[in-house]
Amino acid sequence: MYLTKEQERMLAGEKGEVVERMFRLLVRLGEVYGADRMIPVASAQVAGVSYKSIGDPGLEFLEDIAAQGARVGVPTTLNPPGMDLVDWKELGFPEDFAQKQLRIMEAFRKMGVLMTATCTPYLVGNLPRFGEHLAWSESSAVSFANSVIGARTNREGGPSALAAAICGLTPNYGLHLDENRKPHYLIEVKAELRSTSDFGALGYYVGKIVKDKVPYFRGIKEADVDQLKALGAAMAASGAVALYHVEGITPEAKLMDVSSLERIGVGEQELREAHEKLNTGVDPDIVILGCPHASLKEIATLAAKLDGKRLKKPLWICTSRMTKEAATRMGLTAAIEGAGGRVVADTCTVVSPIERMGYRTIGVDSGKAANYLPGFCKQQVVFRSLDELLEELVV
Ligand code: F3S
């Protein structure tokens, strides 16, 4: 791989031990994937933030490099930690977990990371431009950046995204290259997509089939940002889809030749099957929305639906701290809490220690959450549309 003189100096340790260690990791990655050179990244997004995911070894690693002076060189945002960083006590997060989580956050703060704590950085200030190169690691955000925006990032691991953040560089391979952005399958959607959960079910179904390849959707007549984030998140979870195209909707779709692609049809029956597979439980103990983190619009929709109602079971909607601030200013948090729900900031169900908090069955409208909760959190799942979930919850 070609390295500039300055990059060779990084590798020789002239910019300090941490930079050398991090850059070595990127060079090794580039060699494994046959990259020709390093390219600058406009931003990084680091996953592996929850104490539940990284444990003591991750915590010690982060504290160690922060103490050695590691600092990010490009705007870098953070994925959700394992708890609401303000209301964790009141929400019942365990004290021992919280103390470790706060140390992780402090290590990231010392490194100069922007403390967004969300999987939707593009909604709160880390919005890439078309064609920009990035090093992002949250799979749903990677999918959104590549597909909906047309920026370019591989699906980084937590360490490689952090290394890219510190060095400001990433190896030039994979989805940074034009040839790897071409679709492999033509997905003909014949089913009607009535709700965000239908987009999640479609994503789950397609991700299982195409795995890490690039699907091109035809037949999706309309999709807003929230539906596209639900579709991409589910595909990234059931498969490892990091880029998809939607005819007439996503920016690179019109550049693609789909005439010779293998076709896969998704009708009402396939959509129903996906819904059934994601349903593993009955009668949820709690309903948790906001996977990926809810937008202000989704919070406003929920608040309107709960107006004048009373909930008979707990309901959380997870979002970023910044979105919650705006929701509070608009009176939406009060409306949701007035009905008995909670707007939970920073964290999400999957990366929180929810199984230690007494819950066994969770109601969700997210294909990604429904896919992960049984394995990651030992939960049974009731997967329904928002309206169906509320029908059961509202007194
Ligand atoms: Fe985000 Fe957690 Fe879902 S990180 S995409 S809310 S599993």
Side-chain angles (χ1 to χ4, degrees):
M1 182 171 28
Y2 167 76
L3 296 182
T4 64
K5 287 271 170 282
E6 198 196 346
Q7 290 163 7
E8 274 172 7
R9 283 198 288 275
M10 287 163 84
L11 203 56
E14 287 181 26
K15 297 209 170 170
E17 201 190 312
V18 177
V19 172
E20 181 196 333
R21 251 166 93 190
M22 294 291 128
F23 192 55
R24 202 167 284 286
L25 190 155
L26 296 176
V27 170
R28 210 169 302 136
L29 200 64
E31 283 166 355
V32 168
Y33 288 102
D36 59 342
R37 64 195 162 99
M38 291 286 168
I39 48 173
V41 291
S43 72
Q45 190 269 344
V46 177
V49 178
S50 170
Y51 176 66
K52 178 176 170 177
S53 324
I54 65 173
D56 287 325
L59 165 60
E60 281 156 25
F61 167 76
L62 291 170
E63 286 187 333
D64 179 41
I65 62 166
Q68 285 182 55
R71 296 292 177 268
V72 297
V74 293
T76 301
T77 49
L78 267 193
N79 226 32
M83 63 184 197
D84 185 310
L85 295 168
V86 175
D87 295 332
W88 59 268
K89 219 174 239 170
E90 195 191 326
L91 288 161
F93 286 89
E95 176 84 32
D96 57 334
F97 182 94
Q99 292 315 325
K100 301 271 176 97
Q101 186 64 66
L102 292 172
R103 281 171 56 191
I104 291 171
M105 301 312 284
E106 177 57 14
F108 279 121
R109 192 194 61 76
K110 278 194 184 139
M111 286 188 251
V113 173
L114 305 169
M115 309 294 279
T116 47
T118 181
C119 50
T120 57
Y122 45 87
L123 296 181
V124 295
N126 187 357
L127 179 64
R129 291 199 317 264
F130 181 86
E132 252 178 3
H133 296 281
L134 319 171
W136 285 22
S137 53
E138 154 57 33
S139 67
S140 68
V142 165
S143 168
F144 193 93
N146 276 318
S147 315
V148 183
I149 297 171
R152 298 183 170 211
T153 175
N154 287 317
R155 188 168 156 161
E156 302 292 344
S160 66
L162 188 57
I166 290 169
C167 302
L169 296 163
T170 196
N172 189 34
Y173 73 96
L175 293 175
H176 294 287
L177 305 174
D178 286 346
E179 62 263 33
N180 296 325
R181 302 183 67 85
K182 292 182 184 152
H184 302 94
Y185 293 96
L186 174 61
I187 313 295
E188 295 182 313
V189 181
K190 298 186 184 109
E192 198 189 326
L193 303 171
R194 300 169 193 87
S195 60
T196 304
S197 61
D198 278 349
F199 279 83
L202 172 65
Y204 171 80
Y205 182 82
V206 172
K208 282 265 179 229
I209 298 172
V210 309
K211 306 209 165 50
D212 62 350
K213 298 288 185 279
V214 180
Y216 178 105
F217 289 90
R218 174 172 285 164
I220 298 181
K221 293 177 202 85
E222 256 184 29
D224 65 17
V225 162
D226 296 321
Q227 291 162 335
L228 292 170
K229 78 176 161 62
L231 173 69
M235 262 190 296
S238 68
V241 175
L243 166 65
Y244 64 91
H245 304 291
V246 184
E247 199 165 85
I249 293 181
T250 60
E252 287 170 276
K254 57 181 175 299
L255 309 173
M256 304 299 165
D257 174 12
V258 296
S259 53
S260 57
L261 296 183
E262 184 181 328
R263 290 165 185 247
I264 297 167
V266 185
E268 296 294 342
Q269 192 187 328
E270 286 76 17
L271 204 63
R272 212 170 23 250
E273 271 169 30
H275 272 276
E276 278 160 17
K277 284 225 172 80
L278 288 169
N279 260 299
T280 52
V282 282
D283 196 17
D285 308 321
I286 181 170
V287 168
I288 305 187
L289 308 167
C291 170
H293 269 174
S295 65
L296 197 53
K297 188 173 133 218
E298 288 176 303
I299 297 175
T301 302
L302 177 66
K305 286 180 189 291
L306 291 180
D307 186 29
K309 309 267 171 32
R310 192 73 217 145
L311 295 167
K312 55 184 173 206
K313 287 183 187 172
L315 173 144
W316 293 0
I317 182 160
C318 298
T319 190
S320 66
R321 175 75 46 195
M322 282 166 266
T323 306
K324 181 175 177 179
E325 291 287 332
T328 302
R329 198 176 309 138
M330 290 171 68
L332 304 174
T333 305
I336 291 168
E337 292 187 351
R342 292 298 304 252
V343 180
V344 175
D346 309 314
T347 191
C348 88
T349 348
V350 173
V351 299
S352 69
I354 199 85
E355 64 281 10
R356 290 177 62 188
M357 296 164 72
Y359 299 114
R360 295 287 165 265
T361 306
I362 302 187
V364 297
D365 67 344
S366 156
K368 174 171 176 175
N371 185 76
Y372 279 151
L373 283 170
F376 282 15
C377 303
K378 301 180 186 66
Q379 299 293 310
Q380 297 197 314
V381 170
V382 176
F383 176 65
R384 302 260 193 283
S385 71
L386 173 61
D387 286 340
E388 288 166 336
L389 287 167
L390 291 184
E391 235 167 66
E392 290 186 28
L393 272 194
V394 166
V395 181

